[in-house]
Amino acid sequence: MDWFNKLIDTYPVFLKGMLLTFELTVVAIMIGIIIGLFFAFLKISKINILVWLSDAYIFLVRGTPLIVQIFVFYYGLTSLNMSQFMAVVLGLAFHNGAYIAEIFRGSIQSIDHGQMEAGRSLGMSVSLTYRRIILPQALRRAMPPLGNQFIIALKDSSLAAFIGMYELFNVATTFGSNTFDYLTYLLIVAVYYLVLVFLISLLARYAENRLAISD
Amino acid sequence: MKEAIMVKVEKLNKSFGDLHVLKDIDMTVREREVVCLIGASGSGKSTLLRCLNFLEIKNSGKIFIGGEQIEEHTHDLNQIRAKVGMVFQHFHLFPHMTVIENIMEAPVHVKKIPKDQAYEEAKELLAKVGLSDKANVYPGKLSGGQKQRVAIARSLAMKPEVMLFDEPTSALDPELVGEVLVTMKKLAQEGMTMIVVTHEMGFAREVADSVIYMHDGRIVEVGHPDQLFHTPTQKRTKDFLDSVL
């Protein structure tokens, strides 16, 4: 019961942390989607230098730890004088952009080439066909892995604690070190993460169903 | 009195890498004419059709549409394609749009026709292909024959001057072939210029004004269906007809 009492007692602080965690993730994923779409298009452009650029970006992101990327934005690029929030958001966006690029590339390339030909045969330009025909279908297919990526990003945002942001994980460890009772607060923060992830999966499933209405 | 020339091809050549698919093709199609392209698979029929819609770009030769020579580099191919309708073997309807949205898509977004006008025209086209009751259905709910009729309506919505059909019934269950052929016949009777790649010899015999037999990237024989089917002048034509009839 002690654990439950502490859960109730600390909820105003944890809710604040949860809000910050959520904000970090949502903003980062939104920027990540823009970055991802951009690099996905570079990669399917079949123009050597652009494909190479995209490959290099993905290689760099996948090959280095997220914590290093966040630290580069915050401690490394001090001349940019970024806020903690900005550094974490950019770190997460830069990181997730690479994975989202691969998600978009895969889903765009999974659309039957006949769709492009049908659009072109009706006099539609390549860009119009992408916008009206290919992307709406590709986005639908990208939804499940995007939801997954959102969840990964949410959990990864705990790394913000290491540059001193008072998000969920930091709240838990602070309580833990103040009371010498880490386990209680780690189990409490686990509940918050579980609830957040659960809500996001519901949201993702809702979005999937909405988009899949025609199939 | 002869009709004006709608499509003319001179010494058309097309290769995919080392594979020489079309060899010195010459062809003339007049307004209101229905031309059927027959031949074994791999003979180049579909490639020829796709060159006429510039989905494939020729290596050499000349293509005239409506009397005008089309140069891939100087012409706006989107404008040309809008004049040349294409119906595919596998329909390629847009699965995320309803039937009526499929038909309205190009008129609204390419020709910039007002939506309500495009809607009315789409309705008329649906009635014409006998699918008025399917306007708000998604393609996934249609049979193959219905899909192909929607694809025909979608193509007609751009008011093309010539329609290309690339094996329009080859992907259909046998019992659904008839409804598509009836739609195409109707179109032919209304005077649409049509070039049809087909394995439906019955359709070719009944509807075509001229039949072209292709083999190995060349046009082997051209003739009125009565002549070509009954008294082919080339041995290869006769062999092919013997094998399919």
Side-chain angles (χ1 to χ4, degrees), chain B residues 61-170:
Chain B
K62 292 177 183 167
I63 298 174
F64 300 82
I65 307 278
E68 189 185 5
Q69 186 182 348
I70 309 301
E71 274 305 330
E72 285 87 349
H73 312 291
T74 50
H75 275 85
D76 179 1
L77 291 183
N78 295 329
Q79 247 170 33
I80 307 297
R81 287 199 190 94
K83 287 199 281 186
V84 183
M86 178 100 170
V87 172
F88 300 89
Q89 181 178 359
H90 294 288
F91 335 123
H92 300 324
L93 293 181
F94 307 134
H96 59 304
M97 298 179 184
T98 61
V99 163
I100 195 121
E101 286 168 348
N102 262 275
I103 300 173
M104 291 164 63
E105 178 64 20
V108 169
H109 290 96
V110 177
K111 280 194 173 169
K112 311 285 182 199
I113 288 173
K115 263 199 174 155
D116 35 349
Q117 188 191 336
Y119 181 81
E120 291 307 319
E121 290 178 8
K123 278 282 207 193
E124 279 168 35
L125 285 168
L126 270 181
K128 189 169 174 173
V129 299
L131 290 170
S132 293
D133 54 329
K134 301 290 184 192
N136 298 311
V137 169
Y138 284 95
K141 297 267 190 284
L142 299 178
S143 73
Q146 291 170 333
K147 281 182 191 166
Q148 196 59 296
R149 286 187 282 154
V150 173
I152 292 172
R154 178 177 70 176
S155 208
L156 289 174
M158 290 301 278
K159 304 197 170 73
E161 293 168 9
V162 50
M163 286 279 282
L164 312 177
F165 294 82
D166 190 3
E167 303 198 26
T169 59
S170 296

Side-chain angles (χ1 to χ4, degrees), chain A residues 7 17 22 38 57 65-66 77 132 138 141 149 174 188 208:
Chain A
L7 177 82
F22 191 68
F38 176 73
Y57 164 64
L66 174 56
L77 303 170
R132 297 281 314 166
R141 288 192 193 173
Q149 196 61 39
T174 304
I188 288 175
E208 255 172 69

